[in-house]
Amino acid sequence: MSPAKTPLIGLKADQFRHPLDLEATQALKQLPGLDLMIRSLLGPLAEQVFYLDNIASSILVSDQQLPHLHQLLIEACKILDLELPQLYIRQHPVPNAYTFAIRGRQPFIVVHTSLLELLNPEEIQAVIAHELGHLKCDHGVYLTLANIMVLAAGQLPTLGGMIAQTLQSQILEWVRCAEFTCDRAALLVTQDPKVVASLLMKLTGGSPTLASKLNLDAFLSQARSYDDVSNSDLGELLKQAQVAPLTHPVPVIRAQEIDRWAGSKTYQTLLQNGKNEYNSEASSKGGWRNW
């Protein structure tokens, strides 16, 4: 681990959870039987579909396979105080990463090759840490439903269609809120807001040839221009319509949110507590088995 980074042993999810994530999760918990349906009915089937797909068509990262990526995963887990999930690398032209977790099972993370080609090692670790944030915050049950809707619609068309018709709007709203929390997890691991903002910038308009030429300060200035659209009622309505079908908040808003949180007392206190208390006093609470 880099000597400049602070491991946060004993870190709890609610210490960095975004308030919108908490609010949206509480709303989903009010839907009767949803948790049981996912865990008992949809989860086991989806788990087998995704596992077979990954083991057949992706590379499982380990100390023997792409060890530089495995080391990034190990360090991120140490900082967030998590057990190691599986990490797969998948050949795919669309930059993306996603996580799957069912209670009591070992979760896994999948990262697309096209995303790796855009990023430097620190930014790749930020992606891994973002996905670990889903595990740290127990997002598994509802994230499973979101992944079924988005990733398995072609593999489970009837089931995916039924879910999409009844829950799509609320699930998408929840997953957008959860993304803000996971960006915070990425910051806790990288401990540099510029790394997370740069990652978001490259996801917005990067390519292997353009990524190194992008200007982060200009991107953050662009984010402020997006805010100005809200000065009119029409602009605010258009922004809401733009976001409604998305699985993630727009990148400029995510960059703003992480920039603000990096300057917050909450973030600074977490790092300071890590230096002064976690390393010497706190016992490890683990992570993805704390359901």
Side-chain angles (χ1 to χ4, degrees):
M1 182 181 298
S2 167
K5 289 186 178 181
T6 302
L8 305 177
I9 305 304
L11 177 70
K12 299 186 187 317
D14 285 346
Q15 291 177 286
F16 66 94
R17 193 187 301 272
H18 195 286
L20 289 178
D21 177 10
L22 181 61
E23 181 180 339
T25 300
Q26 291 301 321
L28 281 180
K29 286 181 177 178
Q30 301 306 310
L31 297 176
L34 181 60
D35 184 282
L36 181 62
M37 177 187 72
I38 300 169
R39 204 167 350 110
S40 301
L41 300 177
L42 303 182
L45 174 59
E47 181 180 50
Q48 286 300 310
V49 170
F50 286 132
Y51 175 76
L52 288 173
D53 193 38
N54 281 333
I55 208 71
S57 305
S58 303
I59 297 295
L60 176 60
V61 172
S62 69
D63 56 352
Q64 300 298 314
Q65 183 71 272
L66 302 175
H68 65 294
L69 297 179
H70 192 242
Q71 190 56 44
L72 292 178
L73 173 66
I74 290 172
E75 183 181 78
C77 287
K78 286 181 178 178
I79 293 173
L80 293 176
D81 191 17
L82 276 165
E83 297 178 45
L84 284 178
Q86 291 184 328
L87 173 62
Y88 291 92
I89 304 303
R90 187 178 185 88
Q91 176 69 39
H92 201 287
V94 178
N96 193 21
Y98 55 91
T99 302
F100 185 92
I102 291 293
R103 293 184 180 186
R105 309 280 186 168
Q106 185 180 26
F108 60 80
I109 295 168
V110 178
V111 179
H112 289 176
T113 51
S114 54
L115 183 56
L116 297 178
E117 291 168 0
L118 282 177
L119 308 177
N120 64 35
E122 287 182 309
E123 293 160 351
I124 292 170
Q125 188 175 56
V127 169
I128 292 170
H130 174 100
E131 298 304 322
L132 290 174
H134 285 303
L135 305 179
K136 186 71 179 181
C137 293
D138 297 346
H139 287 159
V141 169
Y142 302 126
L143 192 63
T144 295
L145 186 54
N147 282 335
I148 290 172
M149 286 178 6
V150 175
L151 298 169
Q155 294 164 307
L156 305 170
T158 303
L159 186 58
M162 178 185 70
I163 296 168
Q165 290 175 10
T166 56
L167 291 172
Q168 185 175 38
S169 177
Q170 197 160 0
I171 287 293
L172 290 179
E173 181 180 357
W174 171 81
V175 78
R176 287 194 299 270
C177 294
E179 293 299 308
F180 287 131
T181 294
C182 295
D183 285 343
R184 291 181 174 188
L187 177 58
L188 289 174
V189 168
T190 63
Q191 299 178 12
D192 184 349
K194 289 185 177 180
V195 172
V196 183
S198 178
L199 160 63
L200 294 167
M201 176 180 65
K202 291 178 180 180
L203 284 173
T204 305
S207 71
T209 56
L210 292 177
S212 63
K213 301 175 183 178
L214 294 174
N215 184 313
L216 183 56
D217 290 334
F219 178 67
L220 293 174
S221 176
Q222 175 184 332
R224 290 189 288 272
S225 298
Y226 182 83
D227 261 357
D228 293 340
V229 177
S230 298
N231 292 336
S232 71
D233 291 341
L234 176 60
E236 185 61 29
L237 286 172
L238 289 173
K239 285 169 67 173
Q240 291 177 9
Q242 177 193 45
V243 169
L246 302 179
T247 58
H248 291 62
V250 293
V252 290
I253 292 298
R254 293 173 65 186
Q256 279 190 317
E257 281 287 317
I258 210 63
D259 188 55
R260 291 190 189 109
W261 197 64
S264 71
K265 184 177 179 180
T266 301
Y267 171 68
Q268 298 299 332
T269 299
L270 282 173
L271 291 190
Q272 193 62 38
N273 285 348
K275 293 175 183 176
N276 295 337
E277 299 175 15
Y278 292 153
N279 294 343
S280 59
E281 298 178 11
S283 60
S284 174
K285 301 296 183 182
W288 54 265
R289 288 183 183 168
N290 62 352
W291 286 305

